[in-house]
Amino acid sequence: MGTQTPLKLPTIDFNDLNMDDSNNNCKWEEVKSKVYNALIEYGCFEAIFDKVPLELCKELFPSLEELFDLPIETKKLNASKKPYHGYVGQFPMVPLYESMGIDDANVLEKVEAMTNILWPNGNPNFSKTIHCFSEKLSELDKIIRKMVLESLGVEKYLEEHMNSTNYLVRVMKYKGPQTSETKLGLSSHTDKNVVTILCQNQVDGLEILTKDGKWISFKPSQPGTFIAMIGDALHSWSNGRLHSAFHRVMMSGNEARYSAGLFSIPKGGYLIKAPQEMVDDDHPLLFKPYDHVDFLNYYYSPQGQTDQFALRTYCGV
Ligand SMILES: O=C(O)CCC(=O)C(=O)O
Ligand SMILES: [Fe+2]
């Protein structure tokens, strides 16, 4: 009898875990091994992390409603040269989708500057919620990345690796399609950044493609959990050891889905290059060193947008 892929992502509990726990701590080692295995097999997992308390998520989603209820002309004021870092929406291919990016959301002044563009009289509540979400969730990003580097045996690069990224918070709204038929909310893609950590309101819709081609519908095991996934930058840095999963959002019914994500993103000018320890006879180099921002210019070009394996085309060996 063949084994069947369980159509459920692993759930990993990060409660009571700190960055400082990495020295000889049993719980750290146990969680690290679960993280590494999940990222090899699925490229993602569900994370329980109560440093972002449920109350914060409960404050977050009404704030997102308030944001997306603003007039379209106002939302467009948050423009960015970088794709998906500003306001995005009204795409014919995915008409249910809108998103708003907030660069450096872990820096309060940056969030306030962006908030003041949208609400000229300010919106301290919105700024505080987004900043707090970003700051607390960035701890989980750092724990995951430290665990990954330790598992790969290359923790000596930790400082350089951590310093090579910035944080973006992107918040999303998917309108309910007003039909029981399932409609595309967001097209299938792999993330291009290092690590993405997402949370959602009570409306499901995120689907993850397994290595053997089956879609898993993600259902949080309890309110207030997160899904953490790695992007192409960590896939290439680990020379293909970690999987970067295709995922999409499928919507049905009347209710809107809101989600919020923290994205660690390689800085422009930094070359993403698999360390020499990741390359050997069994693991020949998969990608030439590349700059994330230059790669995005290709990915968002007309050719790149129809290219499922854009990174391979761009810098595959
Ligand atoms: O809204 C979601 O759950 C997924 C969003 C996503 O995949 C992305 O922004 O890259
Ligand atoms: Fe994504």
Side-chain angles (χ1 to χ4, degrees):
M1 280 211 311
T3 46
Q4 281 223 311
T5 318
L7 289 179
K8 187 186 171 311
L9 294 177
T11 299
I12 305 181
D13 184 350
F14 289 81
N15 289 348
D16 309 319
L17 210 61
N18 294 305
M19 276 296 261
D20 316 332
D21 288 341
S22 53
N23 292 330
N24 290 324
N25 178 305
C26 288
K27 166 123 190 188
W28 177 274
E29 291 304 318
E30 186 192 319
V31 173
K32 181 166 101 180
S33 146
K34 286 186 187 161
V35 165
Y36 188 55
N37 290 330
L39 294 180
I40 288 177
E41 184 55 33
Y42 298 97
C44 58
F45 54 84
E46 182 186 31
I48 299 175
F49 184 66
D50 65 5
K51 289 211 177 68
V52 181
L54 192 56
E55 294 74 54
L56 182 54
C57 299
K58 284 191 179 149
E59 278 167 37
L60 180 66
F61 294 115
S63 288
L64 301 191
E65 261 180 68
E66 193 187 344
L67 170 76
F68 285 110
D69 282 348
L70 289 170
I72 176 106
E73 296 74 30
T74 308
K75 290 184 277 193
K76 280 185 175 167
L77 292 175
N78 182 35
S80 172
K81 279 196 252 86
K82 295 189 206 154
Y84 287 88
H85 283 233
Y87 174 71
V88 158
Q90 329 289 315
F91 287 143
M93 286 288 287
V94 280
L96 305 177
Y97 174 83
E98 277 180 282
S99 74
M100 185 72 90
I102 305 139
D103 267 319
D104 300 315
N106 51 322
V107 181
L108 183 61
E109 296 73 42
K110 296 269 186 151
V111 185
E112 281 173 345
M114 180 276 187
T115 305
N116 291 342
I117 295 176
L118 300 179
W119 290 280
N121 297 326
N123 188 338
N125 206 29
F126 180 86
S127 306
K128 202 177 97 230
T129 307
I130 293 286
H131 173 250
C132 197
F133 172 79
S134 161
E135 205 181 30
K136 290 182 187 297
L137 203 52
S138 66
E139 253 194 72
L140 181 58
D141 168 89
K142 292 187 184 109
I143 291 175
I144 293 169
R145 288 160 68 185
K146 185 164 191 202
M147 288 182 164
V148 164
L149 266 65
E150 284 184 11
S151 302
L152 294 169
V154 289
E155 58 266 42
K156 67 175 183 191
Y157 299 113
L158 190 65
E159 204 180 324
E160 177 197 329
H161 174 72
M162 292 295 190
N163 290 339
S164 70
T165 56
N166 287 324
Y167 286 113
L168 168 80
V169 163
R170 188 161 60 234
V171 296
M172 276 70 68
K173 176 182 180 182
Y174 305 86
K175 270 189 290 205
Q178 314 293 327
T179 153
S180 55
E181 253 177 70
T182 308
K183 301 270 184 205
L184 189 66
L186 180 63
S187 311
S188 168
H189 65 282
T190 58
D191 285 359
K192 308 298 173 231
N193 52 302
V194 176
V195 172
T196 301
I197 309 176
L198 295 157
C199 68
Q200 61 168 65
N201 70 343
Q202 72 287 357
V203 181
D204 295 335
L206 179 63
E207 298 186 352
I208 320 282
L209 192 64
T210 62
K211 282 182 172 176
D212 56 359
K214 296 191 183 85
W215 286 104
I216 299 182
S217 302
F218 174 61
K219 291 197 190 343
S221 60
Q222 60 189 71
T225 69
F226 298 87
I227 180 157
M229 63 173 81
I230 68 137
D232 289 352
L234 205 45
H235 169 71
S236 55
W237 197 85
S238 65
N239 200 21
R241 284 171 179 78
L242 303 185
H243 180 60
S244 154
F246 279 94
H247 54 282
R248 66 185 182 189
V249 174
M250 302 301 289
M251 291 292 299
S252 63
N254 304 333
E255 253 189 304
R257 175 170 191 272
Y258 290 90
S259 62
L262 179 75
F263 298 75
S264 45
I265 302 192
K267 293 174 184 168
Y270 174 78
L271 270 195
I272 302 170
K273 177 175 182 288
Q276 63 191 37
E277 292 85 346
M278 297 289 97
V279 185
D280 56 37
D281 288 348
D282 294 333
H283 303 89
L285 185 69
L286 296 178
F287 302 97
K288 292 181 214 124
Y290 70 99
D291 181 304
H292 173 76
V293 174
D294 292 342
F295 166 53
L296 287 191
N297 286 335
Y298 167 70
Y299 178 60
Y300 288 110
S301 71
Q303 188 197 340
Q305 283 293 278
T306 58
D307 185 351
Q308 260 213 319
F309 300 101
L311 188 64
R312 211 182 290 167
T313 310
Y314 182 70
C315 62
V317 174

